[in-house]
Structures are given as C-alpha cells and as structure tokens.
Amino acid sequence: DAGITQSPRYKITETGRQVTLMCHQTWSHSYMFWYRQDLGHGLRLIYYSAAADITDKGEVPDGYVVSRSKTENFPLTLESATRSQTSVYFCASSESIHGLYEQYFGPGTRLTVT
Amino acid sequence: KNEVEQSPQNLTAQEGEFITINCSYSVGISALHWLQQHPGGGIVSLFMLSSGKKKHGRLIATINIQEKHSSLHITASHPRDSAVYICAVWGSGSRLTFGEGTQLTVNP
C-alpha cells in the first residue's frame, strides 16, 4: 500500500534492551524524520535524513541511532532502552526540507520501557 | 518559555459554534503549519502558510508575520472536528518546532 507505515505499532520492552522501530515510505521522498511525542511537550525531532546514507541529529538524539541504507526505510534504534524513552514515536517524510512542503506522518509506535 | 505557544490548551464547544485556536511564536520563521491529530493518534497536515490566509472547507488559517501570531478558525463546528490541533513553525534551524497542541472537544 502507498504511504508511510511504522512497525510495530505497540511495543513493550525492558530497560537495557535494544529495540528497533521501523519506518517505510513508498513515495520516494528524500527527507525522513523521527519524532517523539510526550505529555507536556510538543513533538520533538530526534533525527532526520536528507537522503540515503545522510542523517543528522535533531533536538533530542541522545540514546538513539538511525540508519538509512535505502531511500524508503529509516529505522530508529534504541541501543539500551531507558524508562525516559517511553513515548509515542512518529516517523514522517517530505519531498523537501523547505518549510512550505508538507510532512506526511506515519501512524505512530507506542513504546513502553519497563 | 517555549518557542511556540498555543492557546487555549483545552477547548470545549457546542456543535455549530465558531472556534478559534491561537498560536504565537517567538522566532523568525519562513512557514507555519497547522496539523490535526485524530483521537486514534494519526497526524495530518491541514495548512502550510507563510503569509495571509488560507481556507479549506470550514477551516481557515491566518498568519500575521509582524505580530508572530497565527489563528486557526473552524466554522460551524461538528463533533467530528474533535481532535488535537497542533501549530508548528519552520524557523532557521531547518526543522519544524511544534506547540503542545490544543485539545478540542465538540459536543453534539
């Protein structure tokens, strides 16, 4: 199906475990983004990517790793999960980094770290 | 103080009422986005604007660059408009900075 998908939609993991959240888009958009959404905060940018093999840090990158070997995929890895990483994670994609280009959001992954 | 402030945080209205959600920002921007987050969590873009006013159906978005302020209006509100409305600005950091959102509930 066309669009942007995330998997899993829900994940419960234990402190210290590695977990990877997947994001896949079918539009061949150059730009992809990872955000986290927490109560009391707006969406905050974790990492973004301008193209395959090009990634850059956002506002809250600590504890996260990303890769982008293919244009359509942008996985986010928590190398050693902590309780503070309990959050809802959204992936998004866009044709351009210019402000007047729409960002298309995935459905979100709700991650709980126990 | 957040770079993007929305008001009110929560808003309850009766069906048919005219609704206004406000967004103020403190930095220079090149664009402002309004997004809607459905109760199920999905986020969709409603408007992107850099000046003036845009209209889509019952939704109207305005921006005043000099005053660093934007408003989202909903005319003839309906229960299906119940959602979180999020303002986000595109500043010099080449990324969107988001407000915390306004929870809107429209009662029948």
Side-chain angles (χ1 to χ4, degrees):
Chain A
D1 289 348
I4 182 164
T5 57
Q6 293 182 235
S7 61
R9 295 293 313 280
Y10 302 90
K11 176 75 177 177
I12 300 173
T13 192
E14 294 177 343
T15 300
R17 290 195 179 267
Q18 181 180 85
V19 60
T20 296
L21 310 183
M22 303 301 294
C23 178
H24 175 80
Q25 53 105 355
T26 60
W27 294 301
S28 298
H29 285 166
S30 296
Y31 289 86
M32 296 187 74
F33 309 85
W34 274 108
Y35 296 98
R36 59 178 290 173
Q37 186 178 41
D38 305 289
L39 278 175
H41 295 277
L43 287 151
R44 291 181 291 173
L45 182 65
I46 305 170
Y47 270 95
Y48 69 99
S49 169
D53 297 322
I54 301 175
T55 62
D56 206 351
K57 295 178 180 179
E59 184 183 352
V60 289
D62 292 344
Y64 303 96
V65 174
V66 293
S67 61
R68 193 160 177 214
S69 57
K70 292 185 178 181
T71 301
E72 61 266 29
N73 297 323
F74 191 37
L76 176 74
T77 297
L78 289 66
E79 292 191 303
S80 179
T82 65
R83 289 197 181 90
S84 66
Q85 293 177 309
T86 293
S87 186
V88 181
Y89 291 86
F90 287 95
C91 177
S93 72
S94 179
E95 290 181 72
S96 171
I97 201 76
H98 187 277
L100 284 171
Y101 278 81
E102 182 174 350
Q103 289 194 14
Y104 297 85
F105 287 81
T109 295
R110 184 174 294 275
L111 175 68
T112 301
V113 183
T114 62
Chain B
K1 183 172 164 54
N2 292 336
E3 289 183 4
V4 182
E5 297 277 352
Q6 289 185 233
S7 63
Q9 285 187 304
N10 295 282
L11 180 57
T12 300
Q14 289 300 120
E15 184 173 356
E17 286 185 358
F18 181 85
I19 288 163
T20 296
I21 299 170
N22 296 299
C23 176
S24 297
Y25 52 92
S26 57
V27 296
I29 67 168
S30 59
L32 183 142
H33 293 223
W34 281 103
L35 306 104
Q36 181 191 55
Q37 185 167 22
H38 300 294
I43 298 171
V44 295
S45 178
L46 297 175
F47 294 104
M48 297 168 290
L49 61 167
S50 59
S51 64
K53 176 179 173 178
K54 286 193 175 181
K55 184 174 188 291
H56 187 293
R58 295 179 295 106
L59 273 60
I60 303 166
T62 64
I63 188 169
N64 185 318
I65 295 291
Q66 287 73 28
E67 294 186 5
K68 292 187 168 61
H69 182 268
S70 175
S71 293
L72 177 68
H73 305 287
I74 304 175
T75 61
S77 60
H78 190 276
R80 64 175 175 267
D81 297 325
S82 297
V84 176
Y85 291 84
I86 301 169
C87 172
V89 300
W90 192 274
S92 59
S94 296
R95 65 171 192 245
L96 283 173
T97 301
F98 295 81
E100 292 184 35
T102 295
Q103 173 70 61
L104 171 66
T105 303
V106 182
N107 294 318

